[in-house]
Amino acid sequence: MSTDWEALYQKGDTGWDKGEPSPGLVDFLAAHSEFPRGKALVPGCGRGHDVRAWAAAGFDATGFDLAPSAVRDSNDRIAKEGLSAKARVLEGNFLEDQPITQFDWLFEHTLYCAIQPAQRDAYAAAAARWLKPGGQFLAIHYLIPDTEGPPFGCTRDEVVARFASRFELLGEWTPRSYPNRTNLELALRWRRT
Ligand SMILES: C[S@@+](CC[C@H](N)C(=O)[O-])C[C@H]1O[C@@H](n2cnc3c(N)ncnc32)[C@H](O)[C@@H]1O
């Protein structure tokens, strides 16, 4: 059964939202000042904490989300933080829409575990579609066993098998996490082939 994300935002039933960017992303951006500051996309960005982190690190950051309330809230926060020249959040369906442009970076954080598991092949196809050839895909996955979601769990092997035909794996590590996700996350960095 599909999730009514807009209804969850309207009810304030947004327990996934920690009010700050993924700690693993914060550390990655701080550690890699050498990367050219290209265009970064954050699909399923919710209230846009990760979008603002990419923009604050100097990237041209775009978020994409289905839920109009999340899009509005994200753009308000971007404006309040003075990041409007470097960031924006658009409303749309990452799995189905044609890319508005192709990006240098794609960042996954709690969208892969939020969609129905049957949609994961469509996610992998969309990731390849929205990225430039040679573009990088940084993913922070939630390795929980849950089959009744969202969030829906995944394993390292399931994720690697799903993306390996379109992406080359450049690295993997256990990222710093929010306290309730410590040691439950896996970071993968891929290059689109
Ligand atoms: C679990 S929330 C995570 C939000 C954000 N990444 C965070 O960690 O705070 C999942 C988000 O994905 C959005 N979403 C679900 N399916 C989507 C799709 N096909 N395209 C774009 N956004 C989607 C929902 O509206 C929701 O904001």
Side-chain angles (χ1 to χ4, degrees), residues 9 16-17 42-52 63-75 77 89 109-110:
Y9 282 102
W16 62 82
D17 185 329
V42 184
C45 65
R47 295 192 177 100
H49 310 302
D50 298 321
V51 176
R52 299 195 306 283
F64 210 63
D65 204 286
L66 277 180
S69 295
V71 171
R72 265 195 309 277
D73 192 330
S74 288
N75 284 319
R77 289 167 192 253
V89 172
H109 175 219
T110 57

Side-chain angles (χ1 to χ4, degrees), residues 9 12 17 22 24 31 42 49 85 88 107 111 127 134 137 142 161 163 181 185 192:
Y9 282 102
D17 185 329
S22 158
V42 184
H49 310 302
R88 79 283 319 158
F107 178 58
L111 176 59
F137 175 36
Y142 197 20
F163 289 90
R181 297 185 197 162
E185 292 187 312
R192 180 184 174 311

Side-chain angles (χ1 to χ4, degrees), residues 37 49 51 57 66 74 79 91 94 120 134-135 137 143 151 156 170:
R37 272 27 200 167
H49 310 302
V51 176
L66 277 180
S74 288
E91 187 183 321
F94 173 65
R120 288 178 175 176
F137 175 36
L143 302 187
R156 186 256 178 209
L170 302 178

Side-chain angles (χ1 to χ4, degrees), residues 80-101:
K80 274 195 195 107
E81 293 185 21
L83 290 168
S84 299
K86 296 294 289 181
R88 79 283 319 158
V89 172
L90 309 175
E91 187 183 321
N93 187 325
F94 173 65
L95 304 183
E96 294 176 4
D97 292 359
Q98 285 309 308
I100 49 168
T101 184

